[in-house]
Amino acid sequence: MSRPSAEADLLSELTELVGDDLAASEEIFRRELDCGERAVESIVEHAALLQGKRLRPSLVLVSALASGGIEEGHRVLAAVVEMIHVATLVHDDVLDEADTRRHVATVHSRWDTKTSILFGDYLFTHAFHLASSLQSTEACRLIGRATNRVCEGELIQIAERGNLNLAESRYIEIVEAKTAELVSVSCRLGSGHGRDDPRLADALADYGRRLGIAFQIADDLLDLTGDESRVGKTLGSDLATGKLTLPLVHLLHSGSKAEVDEVRRLLTEPDEQTGERLLPLLVASGSLDYARDRAEQYATEACERLEILPDSPARRCLEGVTAFAVHRSC
C-alpha cells in the first residue's frame, strides 16, 4: 500500500535523524520481552505488527536530539513509552471491540479477550521493569504518573459514554489524559532526561500535549470520514460504543433544533448506517470544519512551544510532526 507523500517524507526524515537509535530502541524492546516461551513470544511478534508509526518513541529521540543529543537512557525510554502505548492499544481494542488495526487482526480477535487483557498488563509491567533499570528514578516516576493519567482518561471516557450533553471542555479533558499525556511525557523524557533545564522540559512537554490533542481530533475525524482500507483499522467504533467525538459534540451544541433532534435519535440506537447518516449533518452544520480548525489551532500552538529550541533539523522535524498529525489520512 502506498503512503501519502507527507507521511513518507516524515518517515524519511525521522529515519535520517534517529533511524539507528530507533532500531536500537526496538532491539531493547524485543530483548526485554524475550522470555523463551513460544506461546508468549507469538503474541509479542503479532503485536509488533500493530505498532504502526512508532510516533512516541520517535518523539523521545527527536526531542533528545533537539535538546542536546541522544544518550543510551533515551533509547531505553523510547522502548518504555512504546511498550506502554502498545499496551493501551491492546486494551483499547478490547474496549472498542475492534477487529483490525494496521490491517492486522487485533490481539483479542486473533486470540481472545482474556489473552488481550493479560498481554496488555504484561507490557505495562515490563515497561516499568525496564524504566527501573535506569539510574535515576525520575523517569520512572514521570512514566508512572503519565500511565495513571492515561488510565484515568479511559475510565472517564467510559463513564461519559452516551452522554449527549458532553461539553467540549470535558471532551478536551478526556483527550488530554487518555491520548496527549503519553505524547507529552515522551517529549519531556527526551528533552529532560539527564539534563537540568526544567524550562526546556516543560516547553517540550507542552508541545507534546498540544500535539497529542491535535492528533486525537484528527483521529476523531478519520473515524467518521476515513477510508477503512487506507486507515487500516476498524472505523465507526466511536459511534458504536457511544463515545462522543469533537465533531459530534460541536453539532449537538451548535446545530439547529431539527439537526440536534435527528443526531440524538441516530445516536440513541446506533447501527452500521449511523455514520453514513450523520455525515451530511456534520458537513452542513460546519462541525467537521470546526474540528479540523481546532486540530490546526492545537498544532499551531504546539509549534509555538518549540521556539525555545535553536533551529536545527531535529526542531524542524518536530514542526513537521504537527503538520502530519492533522493532515494524515491514516
Side-chain angles (χ1 to χ4, degrees), residues 100-184:
T100 59
R101 182 179 290 276
R102 310 293 176 202
H103 304 280
V104 175
T106 57
V107 174
H108 88 91
S109 65
R110 172 67 176 79
W111 280 270
D112 52 43
T113 298
K114 291 179 181 178
T115 299
S116 291
I117 293 170
L118 288 170
F119 181 62
D121 293 346
Y122 182 75
L123 290 168
F124 277 129
T125 57
H126 271 282
F128 287 106
H129 177 263
L130 183 56
S132 70
S133 69
L134 297 171
Q135 280 190 322
S136 171
T137 61
E138 175 69 4
C140 204
R141 183 184 68 81
L142 291 170
I143 291 165
R145 185 176 67 186
T147 305
N148 288 343
R149 288 280 290 141
V150 171
C151 294
E152 288 167 3
E154 291 288 359
L155 288 168
I156 295 168
Q157 180 167 260
I158 290 171
E160 295 286 8
R161 282 183 178 181
N163 177 10
L164 301 185
N165 297 312
L166 187 73
E168 181 176 330
S169 58
R170 184 62 162 168
Y171 162 87
I172 294 296
E173 287 175 11
I174 293 169
V175 168
E176 274 198 76
K178 80 180 190 72
T179 301
E181 186 66 28
L182 189 55
V183 179
S184 176

Coordinates of all heavy atoms in Angstrom, one line a residue, residues 100-184:
T100 N -9.6 -5.1 13.7 CA -8.4 -4.9 12.9 C -7.7 -3.6 13.4 O -8.3 -2.6 13.8 CB -8.6 -4.8 11.4 OG1 -9.5 -3.7 11.1 CG2 -9.2 -6.1 10.9
R101 N -6.4 -3.6 13.2 CA -5.5 -2.4 13.4 C -4.3 -2.6 12.5 O -3.7 -3.6 12.5 CB -5.1 -2.3 14.9 CG -4.3 -1.0 15.2 CD -3.9 -0.9 16.6 NE -5.1 -0.6 17.5 CZ -5.5 0.6 17.7 NH1 -5.0 1.6 17.1 NH2 -6.6 0.8 18.5
R102 N -4.0 -1.5 11.8 CA -2.9 -1.6 10.8 C -3.1 -2.7 9.8 O -2.1 -3.4 9.5 CB -1.5 -1.8 11.6 CG -1.3 -0.8 12.7 CD -1.1 0.6 12.2 NE -1.0 1.5 13.3 CZ -1.2 2.8 13.2 NH1 -1.6 3.3 12.1 NH2 -1.0 3.6 14.2
H103 N -4.3 -3.0 9.5 CA -4.6 -4.1 8.5 C -4.4 -5.5 9.1 O -4.2 -6.4 8.3 CB -3.9 -3.9 7.2 CG -4.1 -2.6 6.5 ND1 -5.2 -2.3 5.8 CD2 -3.4 -1.4 6.5 CE1 -5.2 -1.0 5.3 NE2 -4.1 -0.5 5.8
V104 N -4.2 -5.6 10.4 CA -3.9 -6.8 11.1 C -4.9 -7.1 12.1 O -5.5 -6.2 12.7 CB -2.5 -6.7 11.7 CG1 -2.2 -8.0 12.5 CG2 -1.4 -6.5 10.7
A105 N -5.3 -8.4 12.3 CA -6.2 -8.8 13.4 C -5.7 -8.3 14.7 O -4.5 -8.4 15.0 CB -6.4 -10.3 13.4
T106 N -6.6 -7.7 15.5 CA -6.2 -7.3 16.9 C -5.9 -8.5 17.7 O -6.3 -9.7 17.3 CB -7.3 -6.5 17.5 OG1 -8.6 -7.2 17.5 CG2 -7.5 -5.2 16.8
V107 N -5.3 -8.3 18.8 CA -4.9 -9.5 19.7 C -6.2 -10.2 20.2 O -6.2 -11.4 20.2 CB -4.1 -9.0 20.9 CG1 -3.8 -10.2 21.9 CG2 -2.7 -8.5 20.4
H108 N -7.2 -9.4 20.6 CA -8.4 -10.1 21.1 C -9.2 -10.8 20.0 O -9.8 -11.8 20.3 CB -9.3 -9.1 21.9 CG -10.3 -8.4 21.0 ND1 -11.6 -8.9 20.8 CD2 -10.2 -7.2 20.3 CE1 -12.2 -8.0 20.0 NE2 -11.4 -7.1 19.7
S109 N -9.1 -10.4 18.8 CA -9.8 -11.1 17.7 C -8.9 -12.3 17.2 O -9.5 -13.3 16.8 CB -10.1 -10.2 16.5 OG -9.0 -9.7 15.9
R110 N -7.6 -12.2 17.3 CA -6.7 -13.3 16.9 C -6.7 -14.4 18.0 O -6.6 -15.6 17.7 CB -5.3 -12.7 16.7 CG -4.2 -13.8 16.4 CD -4.4 -14.5 15.2 NE -3.3 -15.4 14.9 CZ -3.1 -16.6 15.5 NH1 -4.0 -17.0 16.4 NH2 -2.1 -17.4 15.3
W111 N -6.7 -14.0 19.3 CA -6.7 -14.9 20.4 C -8.1 -14.8 21.1 O -9.0 -15.3 20.6 CB -5.5 -14.6 21.3 CG -4.2 -15.2 20.9 CD1 -3.7 -16.5 21.1 CD2 -3.3 -14.6 20.0 NE1 -2.5 -16.6 20.5 CE2 -2.2 -15.5 19.8 CE3 -3.2 -13.3 19.4 CZ2 -1.1 -15.2 19.0 CZ3 -2.1 -13.0 18.6 CH2 -1.0 -13.9 18.4
D112 N -8.1 -14.1 22.2 CA -9.4 -13.9 22.9 C -9.2 -12.7 23.9 O -8.1 -12.1 24.0 CB -9.8 -15.1 23.6 CG -8.8 -15.7 24.6 OD1 -8.1 -14.9 25.3 OD2 -8.6 -16.9 24.6
T113 N -10.3 -12.3 24.5 CA -10.3 -11.1 25.4 C -9.4 -11.3 26.6 O -8.6 -10.4 27.0 CB -11.7 -10.8 25.9 OG1 -12.5 -10.5 24.7 CG2 -11.7 -9.6 26.8
K114 N -9.4 -12.5 27.2 CA -8.5 -12.8 28.4 C -7.1 -12.6 28.0 O -6.3 -12.0 28.8 CB -8.8 -14.2 28.9 CG -10.2 -14.3 29.6 CD -10.3 -15.8 30.1 CE -11.7 -15.9 30.7 NZ -11.9 -17.3 31.2
T115 N -6.7 -13.1 26.8 CA -5.3 -13.0 26.4 C -4.9 -11.6 26.2 O -3.8 -11.1 26.6 CB -5.1 -13.8 25.1 OG1 -5.4 -15.2 25.3 CG2 -3.7 -13.7 24.6
S116 N -5.8 -10.8 25.6 CA -5.5 -9.4 25.4 C -5.3 -8.6 26.7 O -4.4 -7.8 26.8 CB -6.7 -8.7 24.6 OG -6.8 -9.2 23.3
I117 N -6.2 -8.8 27.6 CA -6.1 -8.1 28.9 C -4.8 -8.5 29.6 O -4.0 -7.6 30.1 CB -7.3 -8.4 29.8 CG1 -8.5 -7.8 29.2 CG2 -7.1 -7.9 31.2 CD1 -9.8 -8.2 29.8
L118 N -4.5 -9.8 29.6 CA -3.2 -10.2 30.3 C -2.0 -9.7 29.5 O -1.0 -9.3 30.2 CB -3.2 -11.7 30.4 CG -4.2 -12.3 31.4 CD1 -4.3 -13.8 31.3 CD2 -3.7 -11.9 32.8
F119 N -2.1 -9.7 28.2 CA -0.9 -9.3 27.4 C -0.7 -7.8 27.6 O 0.5 -7.3 27.7 CB -1.1 -9.6 26.0 CG 0.1 -9.2 25.1 CD1 1.3 -9.7 25.3 CD2 -0.1 -8.2 24.1 CE1 2.4 -9.3 24.6 CE2 1.0 -7.8 23.3 CZ 2.3 -8.4 23.6
G120 N -1.8 -7.0 27.7 CA -1.6 -5.6 27.9 C -1.0 -5.3 29.3 O -0.1 -4.5 29.4
D121 N -1.4 -6.1 30.3 CA -0.8 -6.0 31.6 C 0.7 -6.4 31.6 O 1.5 -5.8 32.3 CB -1.6 -6.9 32.6 CG -3.0 -6.4 32.9 OD1 -3.3 -5.3 32.5 OD2 -3.8 -7.2 33.4
Y122 N 1.0 -7.4 30.8 CA 2.3 -7.9 30.7 C 3.2 -6.8 30.1 O 4.4 -6.6 30.6 CB 2.3 -9.1 29.7 CG 3.6 -9.8 29.5 CD1 4.2 -10.6 30.5 CD2 4.3 -9.7 28.3 CE1 5.4 -11.3 30.2 CE2 5.4 -10.3 28.0 CZ 6.0 -11.1 29.0 OH 7.2 -11.8 28.7
L123 N 2.7 -6.1 29.1 CA 3.5 -5.0 28.6 C 3.7 -3.8 29.6 O 4.8 -3.2 29.7 CB 2.8 -4.4 27.3 CG 2.8 -5.3 26.1 CD1 1.9 -4.8 25.0 CD2 4.2 -5.4 25.5
F124 N 2.7 -3.5 30.4 CA 2.8 -2.5 31.4 C 3.9 -2.8 32.4 O 4.7 -2.0 32.8 CB 1.4 -2.3 32.1 CG 0.5 -1.4 31.4 CD1 -0.8 -1.8 31.2 CD2 0.8 -0.1 31.0 CE1 -1.7 -1.0 30.5 CE2 -0.1 0.7 30.3 CZ -1.4 0.3 30.1
T125 N 3.8 -4.1 32.9 CA 4.8 -4.5 33.9 C 6.2 -4.5 33.4 O 7.1 -4.1 34.1 CB 4.4 -5.8 34.5 OG1 4.4 -6.8 33.5 CG2 3.1 -5.8 35.3
H126 N 6.4 -4.9 32.2 CA 7.7 -4.9 31.6 C 8.2 -3.5 31.4 O 9.4 -3.2 31.5 CB 7.7 -5.7 30.3 CG 8.0 -7.1 30.4 ND1 9.3 -7.6 30.7 CD2 7.2 -8.2 30.5 CE1 9.3 -8.9 30.8 NE2 8.0 -9.3 30.7
A127 N 7.3 -2.6 31.0 CA 7.7 -1.2 30.8 C 8.2 -0.6 32.1 O 9.3 0.1 32.1 CB 6.5 -0.4 30.3
F128 N 7.6 -0.9 33.2 CA 8.1 -0.3 34.5 C 9.3 -1.0 35.0 O 10.2 -0.4 35.6 CB 7.0 -0.4 35.5 CG 5.9 0.6 35.3 CD1 4.7 0.3 34.8 CD2 6.1 2.0 35.5 CE1 3.7 1.2 34.6 CE2 5.1 2.9 35.3 CZ 3.9 2.5 34.8
H129 N 9.4 -2.3 34.7 CA 10.7 -3.0 35.0 C 11.9 -2.4 34.2 O 12.9 -2.2 34.8 CB 10.5 -4.5 34.7 CG 11.8 -5.3 34.9 ND1 12.7 -5.6 33.9 CD2 12.3 -5.8 36.0 CE1 13.7 -6.3 34.4 NE2 13.5 -6.5 35.7
L130 N 11.7 -2.1 32.9 CA 12.7 -1.6 32.1 C 13.1 -0.1 32.6 O 14.2 0.2 32.7 CB 12.3 -1.6 30.7 CG 13.3 -1.1 29.6 CD1 14.6 -1.9 29.7 CD2 12.7 -1.2 28.2
A131 N 12.0 0.7 32.9 CA 12.3 2.0 33.4 C 13.1 2.0 34.7 O 13.9 2.9 34.9 CB 11.0 2.8 33.5
S132 N 12.8 1.0 35.5 CA 13.5 1.0 36.8 C 15.0 0.6 36.6 O 15.8 0.7 37.6 CB 12.8 0.0 37.7 OG 13.0 -1.3 37.3
S133 N 15.4 0.2 35.4 CA 16.8 -0.2 35.2 C 17.7 1.1 35.1 O 18.9 1.0 35.1 CB 17.0 -1.1 34.0 OG 16.7 -0.3 32.8
L134 N 17.1 2.2 34.9 CA 17.9 3.5 34.8 C 18.3 3.9 36.1 O 17.7 3.7 37.1 CB 17.0 4.6 34.1 CG 16.6 4.3 32.6 CD1 15.6 5.3 32.2 CD2 17.8 4.2 31.7
Q135 N 19.4 4.7 36.2 CA 20.0 5.1 37.4 C 19.0 6.0 38.2 O 18.8 5.9 39.4 CB 21.3 5.8 37.2 CG 22.5 4.8 37.1 CD 23.8 5.6 37.1 OE1 24.0 6.7 36.6 NE2 24.8 4.9 37.7
S136 N 18.5 7.0 37.4 CA 17.6 8.0 38.0 C 16.1 7.4 38.2 O 15.7 6.7 37.3 CB 17.5 9.2 37.2 OG 16.5 10.1 37.6
T137 N 15.5 7.7 39.3 CA 14.1 7.2 39.5 C 13.1 8.2 38.9 O 11.9 8.0 38.8 CB 13.8 7.0 40.9 OG1 14.0 8.3 41.6 CG2 14.7 6.0 41.6
E138 N 13.6 9.4 38.4 CA 12.7 10.5 37.9 C 11.9 10.0 36.7 O 10.7 10.3 36.6 CB 13.5 11.7 37.6 CG 12.8 12.8 37.0 CD 11.8 13.5 37.9 OE1 11.8 13.2 39.1 OE2 11.1 14.4 37.5
A139 N 12.6 9.3 35.8 CA 11.9 8.9 34.6 C 10.8 7.9 35.0 O 9.7 8.0 34.4 CB 12.9 8.3 33.6
C140 N 11.1 7.0 35.9 CA 10.1 6.0 36.3 C 8.9 6.7 36.9 O 7.7 6.3 36.7 CB 10.7 5.0 37.3 SG 9.9 3.4 37.3
R141 N 9.1 7.7 37.7 CA 8.1 8.5 38.4 C 7.2 9.2 37.3 O 6.0 9.1 37.4 CB 8.6 9.5 39.3 CG 7.6 10.3 40.1 CD 8.2 11.3 41.0 NE 8.8 12.4 40.2 CZ 8.1 13.4 39.7 NH1 6.8 13.5 39.9 NH2 8.8 14.4 39.0
L142 N 7.8 9.8 36.3 CA 7.1 10.5 35.3 C 6.2 9.6 34.5 O 5.1 9.8 34.1 CB 8.1 11.3 34.4 CG 8.8 12.5 35.0 CD1 9.9 13.0 34.1 CD2 7.8 13.6 35.3
I143 N 6.8 8.4 34.1 CA 6.1 7.4 33.3 C 4.9 6.8 34.1 O 3.8 6.6 33.6 CB 7.0 6.3 32.9 CG1 8.0 6.8 31.9 CG2 6.3 5.1 32.3 CD1 9.2 6.0 31.6
G144 N 5.1 6.6 35.4 CA 4.1 6.1 36.3 C 2.9 7.1 36.3 O 1.7 6.7 36.2
R145 N 3.2 8.4 36.5 CA 2.2 9.4 36.6 C 1.4 9.5 35.3 O 0.2 9.6 35.2 CB 2.8 10.8 37.0 CG 1.8 11.9 37.2 CD 2.4 13.1 37.6 NE 3.3 13.7 36.6 CZ 4.1 14.8 36.7 NH1 4.2 15.4 37.9 NH2 4.8 15.2 35.7
A146 N 2.2 9.4 34.2 CA 1.5 9.5 32.8 C 0.6 8.3 32.6 O -0.5 8.5 32.1 CB 2.6 9.6 31.7
T147 N 1.1 7.2 33.0 CA 0.2 6.0 32.8 C -1.0 6.0 33.6 O -2.1 5.6 33.2 CB 1.0 4.7 33.1 OG1 2.2 4.7 32.4 CG2 0.3 3.4 32.8
N148 N -0.9 6.6 34.9 CA -2.1 6.8 35.7 C -3.1 7.7 35.0 O -4.3 7.4 35.0 CB -1.7 7.4 37.0 CG -1.0 6.4 38.0 OD1 -1.0 5.2 37.8 ND2 -0.3 7.0 39.0
R149 N -2.6 8.7 34.4 CA -3.4 9.7 33.7 C -4.1 9.1 32.5 O -5.3 9.3 32.2 CB -2.6 10.9 33.3 CG -2.2 11.8 34.4 CD -3.4 12.7 34.8 NE -3.7 13.7 33.8 CZ -4.9 14.1 33.5 NH1 -6.0 13.6 34.0 NH2 -5.1 15.1 32.6
V150 N -3.4 8.2 31.8 CA -4.0 7.5 30.6 C -5.1 6.7 31.1 O -6.2 6.7 30.5 CB -2.9 6.7 29.9 CG1 -3.6 5.8 28.8 CG2 -1.9 7.6 29.2
C151 N -4.9 5.9 32.1 CA -6.0 5.0 32.6 C -7.2 5.8 33.2 O -8.3 5.4 33.0 CB -5.4 4.1 33.7 SG -4.2 2.9 33.1
E152 N -6.9 6.9 33.8 CA -8.0 7.8 34.3 C -8.8 8.3 33.2 O -10.0 8.4 33.2 CB -7.4 9.0 35.1 CG -6.8 8.6 36.5 CD -6.0 9.7 37.1 OE1 -5.9 10.8 36.5 OE2 -5.4 9.5 38.2
G153 N -8.1 8.7 32.1 CA -8.8 9.2 30.9 C -9.7 8.2 30.3 O -10.9 8.5 29.9
E154 N -9.3 7.0 30.2 CA -10.1 5.9 29.7 C -11.3 5.6 30.6 O -12.4 5.4 30.1 CB -9.2 4.6 29.5 CG -8.2 4.7 28.4 CD -8.8 4.7 27.0 OE1 -10.0 4.6 26.9 OE2 -8.0 4.8 26.1
L155 N -11.1 5.6 31.9 CA -12.2 5.4 32.8 C -13.2 6.5 32.7 O -14.4 6.2 32.7 CB -11.7 5.3 34.2 CG -10.9 4.0 34.6 CD1 -10.2 4.1 35.9 CD2 -11.8 2.8 34.6
I156 N -12.8 7.8 32.6 CA -13.7 8.9 32.5 C -14.5 8.8 31.2 O -15.7 9.0 31.1 CB -12.9 10.2 32.5 CG1 -12.3 10.4 33.9 CG2 -13.9 11.4 32.3 CD1 -11.3 11.5 34.0
Q157 N -13.7 8.4 30.1 CA -14.4 8.3 28.8 C -15.5 7.2 28.8 O -16.6 7.4 28.3 CB -13.4 7.9 27.7 CG -14.0 7.7 26.3 CD -13.0 7.7 25.2 OE1 -12.7 8.7 24.5 NE2 -12.4 6.5 25.0
I158 N -15.2 6.1 29.5 CA -16.3 5.0 29.7 C -17.5 5.6 30.4 O -18.6 5.4 30.1 CB -15.7 3.8 30.4 CG1 -14.7 3.1 29.4 CG2 -16.8 2.9 30.8 CD1 -13.9 2.0 30.1
A159 N -17.2 6.3 31.5 CA -18.3 6.9 32.3 C -19.1 7.9 31.5 O -20.3 8.1 31.8 CB -17.7 7.6 33.6
E160 N -18.5 8.6 30.5 CA -19.2 9.6 29.8 C -19.8 9.0 28.5 O -20.4 9.8 27.7 CB -18.2 10.7 29.4 CG -17.7 11.5 30.6 CD -18.8 12.5 31.2 OE1 -20.0 12.4 30.7 OE2 -18.4 13.3 32.0
R161 N -19.7 7.7 28.3 CA -20.3 7.2 27.1 C -21.8 7.4 27.1 O -22.5 7.2 28.1 CB -20.0 5.6 27.0 CG -18.6 5.3 26.5 CD -18.4 3.8 26.4 NE -17.0 3.6 25.9 CZ -16.6 2.3 25.6 NH1 -17.3 1.3 25.9 NH2 -15.3 2.2 25.2
G162 N -22.3 7.8 25.9 CA -23.7 8.0 25.8 C -24.2 9.3 26.3 O -25.4 9.6 26.3
N163 N -23.3 10.1 26.9 CA -23.7 11.5 27.4 C -23.8 12.4 26.2 O -22.8 13.0 25.8 CB -22.7 11.9 28.4 CG -23.0 13.3 29.0 OD1 -24.1 13.9 28.7 ND2 -22.1 13.9 29.7
L164 N -25.0 12.7 25.8 CA -25.2 13.6 24.6 C -25.1 15.0 25.0 O -25.2 15.9 24.1 CB -26.5 13.2 24.0 CG -26.7 11.8 23.5 CD1 -28.0 11.7 22.7 CD2 -25.5 11.4 22.6
N165 N -24.9 15.3 26.3 CA -24.7 16.7 26.7 C -23.2 17.0 27.0 O -22.9 18.0 27.6 CB -25.5 17.0 28.0 CG -27.0 16.8 27.7 OD1 -27.5 17.4 26.7 ND2 -27.7 16.1 28.5
L166 N -22.3 16.1 26.6 CA -20.9 16.3 26.9 C -20.4 17.7 26.4 O -20.6 18.0 25.2 CB -20.1 15.2 26.3 CG -18.6 15.1 26.6 CD1 -18.4 14.6 28.0 CD2 -17.9 14.2 25.6
A167 N -19.8 18.4 27.2 CA -19.2 19.7 26.9 C -17.9 19.6 26.2 O -17.1 18.6 26.4 CB -19.1 20.6 28.1
E168 N -17.5 20.5 25.3 CA -16.2 20.4 24.6 C -15.1 20.5 25.7 O -14.1 19.7 25.5 CB -16.1 21.6 23.7 CG -14.8 21.6 22.9 CD -14.6 22.6 21.9 OE1 -15.6 23.1 21.3 OE2 -13.5 23.1 21.6
S169 N -15.2 21.2 26.7 CA -14.2 21.3 27.7 C -13.9 19.9 28.4 O -12.8 19.6 28.7 CB -14.5 22.3 28.8 OG -15.7 22.0 29.4
R170 N -15.0 19.2 28.6 CA -14.9 17.9 29.2 C -14.3 16.9 28.2 O -13.4 16.1 28.6 CB -16.3 17.4 29.6 CG -16.3 16.0 30.3 CD -15.5 16.1 31.6 NE -15.9 14.9 32.5 CZ -15.2 14.6 33.5 NH1 -14.1 15.3 33.9 NH2 -15.6 13.6 34.3
Y171 N -14.6 17.0 26.9 CA -14.0 16.2 25.9 C -12.5 16.4 25.8 O -11.7 15.5 25.8 CB -14.6 16.6 24.5 CG -13.8 16.1 23.3 CD1 -13.9 14.9 22.8 CD2 -12.9 17.0 22.8 CE1 -13.1 14.5 21.7 CE2 -12.1 16.6 21.7 CZ -12.2 15.4 21.2 OH -11.4 15.0 20.1
I172 N -12.1 17.7 25.9 CA -10.6 18.0 25.9 C -9.9 17.4 27.1 O -8.8 16.9 27.0 CB -10.4 19.5 25.8 CG1 -10.9 20.1 24.5 CG2 -8.9 19.9 26.0 CD1 -10.2 19.6 23.2
E173 N -10.6 17.5 28.3 CA -10.0 16.9 29.5 C -9.7 15.4 29.3 O -8.7 14.9 29.7 CB -10.9 17.1 30.7 CG -11.0 18.5 31.2 CD -12.1 18.6 32.3 OE1 -12.6 17.5 32.8 OE2 -12.4 19.7 32.7
I174 N -10.7 14.7 28.7 CA -10.5 13.3 28.4 C -9.4 13.0 27.4 O -8.5 12.1 27.7 CB -11.9 12.7 27.9 CG1 -13.0 12.7 28.9 CG2 -11.7 11.3 27.4 CD1 -14.3 12.4 28.4
V175 N -9.3 13.8 26.4 CA -8.3 13.6 25.4 C -6.9 13.9 25.9 O -5.9 13.2 25.7 CB -8.6 14.5 24.1 CG1 -7.4 14.6 23.2 CG2 -9.8 14.0 23.4
E176 N -6.8 15.0 26.7 CA -5.6 15.3 27.4 C -5.0 14.1 28.2 O -3.8 13.9 28.2 CB -5.7 16.5 28.3 CG -5.6 17.9 27.6 CD -5.3 19.0 28.6 OE1 -4.2 19.1 29.1 OE2 -6.3 19.7 28.9
A177 N -5.9 13.4 28.9 CA -5.5 12.3 29.7 C -5.2 11.1 28.9 O -4.1 10.5 29.0 CB -6.6 12.1 30.8
K178 N -6.1 10.7 28.1 CA -6.0 9.3 27.5 C -5.1 9.3 26.3 O -4.5 8.2 26.0 CB -7.4 8.8 27.1 CG -8.0 9.3 25.8 CD -9.3 8.7 25.5 CE -9.8 9.0 24.1 NZ -9.1 8.3 23.1
T179 N -4.9 10.4 25.6 CA -4.0 10.4 24.4 C -2.8 11.3 24.6 O -1.7 10.9 24.4 CB -4.8 10.9 23.2 OG1 -5.9 10.0 23.0 CG2 -3.9 10.9 22.0
A180 N -3.1 12.6 25.0 CA -2.0 13.6 25.0 C -1.0 13.4 26.1 O 0.2 13.8 25.9 CB -2.6 15.0 25.1
E181 N -1.4 12.8 27.2 CA -0.4 12.6 28.3 C 0.8 11.8 27.9 O 1.9 12.2 28.3 CB -1.1 12.0 29.5 CG -0.3 11.9 30.8 CD 0.0 13.3 31.3 OE1 -0.8 14.3 31.1 OE2 1.1 13.4 32.0
L182 N 0.6 10.7 27.2 CA 1.7 9.9 26.8 C 2.6 10.5 25.8 O 3.8 10.4 25.8 CB 1.3 8.5 26.3 CG 2.3 7.4 26.1 CD1 3.2 7.2 27.4 CD2 1.7 6.1 25.7
V183 N 2.0 11.3 24.9 CA 2.8 12.1 23.9 C 3.6 13.1 24.6 O 4.8 13.3 24.4 CB 1.9 12.7 22.9 CG1 2.7 13.5 21.9 CG2 1.1 11.7 22.1
S184 N 3.0 13.8 25.6 CA 3.6 14.8 26.4 C 4.8 14.3 27.2 O 5.9 14.9 27.1 CB 2.6 15.5 27.3 OG 3.3 16.4 28.2

